[in-house]
Amino acid sequence: MNEALKYLTKDKDTIEYLTFFVLLEKIKYIPPILEYCGDDFVEYMIELLPRIDDKYDRASLIETIVQSYYWDENSVGYSDELFNEYIRCIRDHATNLDDIISCLNGFVHAGVRKQEIVIQLIKHVDKEKTITILSRFELDDVTGSPGNESKLLTEAKEISSIRWRSGIIAQFLLLVHPQVRKYAGISQITFLYDTYHGVYADCWPRGLLPNQKELLLNSKVLSAREISVLETLEELINSQEKDLDSPEVKQLYDAFFAGKDPLDVIFTLPK
């Protein structure tokens, strides 16, 4: 297989060359295939990287190397070099958010400190994109220095909390609001699930509150009153087996939003 991949990249600006990078996008997050390709494949990608001019192809190649490489204390220097190159790819908008998060987590496993990731993003990437990336990145063990870095971290953590909060409330709406249940699958508004069945049967509220109640409170994602409403819903549909169209369930919408604008409630963190 490695010989075939080398053949595909022998000459630039060919259909074979384009095919290689299409294949790379397909396999870079499939560990069994990467393991099957082995160390020779990784070494070849490392050799190939300096020859690649296209920023999108460079980003894809780095992401694959990070997912494939066996990092140890002897490879710290290379991981730092590769990380700096990847920061330039992020700066130049050469990759998407999901790939960025996966790759940055890969760099953490390779030994790059989270603090250094934050510093380099702030230094080289525009503010809005940096905050978006950091809001999807695990930041609990990262502390900012006084000034701009600390402010950006605070803003990113707030956005992360709102993202979590809005997701929970979206699932809540799928259960308690008849119109949302009816039209979620065709709406341009995303409710995480196309229908309420996924929430009701697979995800929420089973396990959410018992496992994360204290975290939701301490992180100020939900208030104690809001969690109480969710606990009531859990009791009604899990223990009492109330139908979602029952008056008791329908009343929980009003109890949660308390007469306020739902959008204001969704996108405002509790004090």
Side-chain angles (χ1 to χ4, degrees):
M1 183 173 180
N2 286 334
E3 290 303 316
L5 294 174
K6 290 180 181 180
Y7 166 76
L8 293 175
T9 56
K10 185 171 62 174
D11 298 308
K12 293 183 179 180
D13 302 321
T14 63
I15 191 65
E16 289 83 3
Y17 185 84
L18 294 174
T19 299
F20 172 81
F21 283 99
V22 170
L23 288 173
L24 209 60
E25 283 295 311
K26 299 294 184 182
I27 70 172
K28 65 183 178 183
Y29 296 126
I30 306 178
I33 294 180
L34 296 177
E35 290 176 12
Y36 175 77
C37 292
D39 294 340
D40 289 345
F41 175 60
V42 179
E43 293 300 327
Y44 179 67
M45 287 191 293
I46 292 173
E47 293 175 12
L48 181 63
L49 183 60
R51 294 164 39 196
I52 305 301
D53 298 321
D54 183 88
K55 63 181 182 180
Y56 303 103
D57 292 343
R58 289 182 69 82
S60 184
L61 202 58
I62 292 170
E63 288 159 359
T64 309
I65 292 170
V66 170
Q67 295 300 322
S68 309
Y69 199 72
Y70 177 75
W71 303 99
D72 56 30
E73 62 273 9
N74 297 320
S75 55
V76 171
Y78 182 65
S79 66
D80 289 341
E81 176 186 336
L82 203 62
F83 169 68
N84 291 331
E85 176 65 28
Y86 192 64
I87 287 292
R88 288 190 283 272
C89 291
I90 296 174
R91 178 200 64 194
D92 295 339
H93 308 285
T95 185
N96 63 61
L97 182 58
D98 288 338
D99 283 338
I100 289 171
I101 300 304
S102 294
C103 194
L104 291 181
N105 281 320
F107 277 117
V108 171
H109 291 302
V112 178
R113 295 183 304 110
K114 288 185 179 181
Q115 190 78 33
E116 182 63 18
I117 290 175
V118 172
I119 291 170
Q120 294 305 318
L121 285 171
I122 291 173
K123 184 177 180 180
H124 296 288
V125 181
D126 66 82
K127 177 182 176 181
E128 183 177 351
K129 191 175 186 71
T130 294
I131 291 173
T132 300
I133 293 169
L134 293 180
S135 72
R136 296 275 300 275
F137 200 55
E138 179 56 59
L139 294 171
D140 288 345
D141 53 350
V142 178
T143 56
S145 58
N148 187 46
E149 184 181 327
S150 181
K151 290 179 181 178
L152 279 176
L153 282 174
T154 299
E155 191 170 347
K157 289 177 180 179
E158 181 177 316
I159 290 174
S160 179
S161 294
I162 288 177
R163 185 171 183 269
W164 190 6
R165 174 182 175 84
S166 61
I168 292 171
I169 298 176
Q171 295 173 51
F172 171 75
L173 288 172
L174 269 171
L175 292 173
V176 303
H177 199 291
Q179 296 294 83
V180 174
R181 284 206 306 275
K182 183 176 181 180
Y183 295 114
I186 62 170
S187 171
Q188 291 294 312
I189 302 173
T190 300
F191 290 93
L192 301 184
Y193 291 84
D194 289 337
T195 73
Y196 75 92
H197 295 288
V199 182
Y200 187 71
D202 300 331
C203 178
W204 193 92
R206 293 176 176 83
L208 173 66
L209 296 178
N211 296 330
Q212 301 189 34
K213 177 179 177 179
E214 292 304 317
L215 179 59
L216 289 166
L217 281 171
N218 294 336
S219 302
K220 296 185 178 179
V221 173
L222 295 171
S223 68
R225 183 190 63 80
E226 290 167 339
I227 285 181
S228 176
V229 174
L230 301 185
E231 287 178 322
T232 301
L233 176 60
E234 182 174 7
E235 172 70 19
L236 288 173
I237 64 177
N238 289 345
S239 301
Q240 299 184 27
E241 298 183 350
K242 292 286 186 180
D243 186 270
L244 293 179
D245 288 319
S246 68
E248 295 93 335
V249 171
K250 289 181 178 180
Q251 288 170 4
L252 294 179
Y253 175 90
D254 293 331
F256 191 92
F257 292 105
K260 299 177 182 177
D261 184 326
L263 292 179
D264 285 342
V265 173
I266 291 170
F267 296 113
T268 302
L269 295 173
K271 301 297 184 183

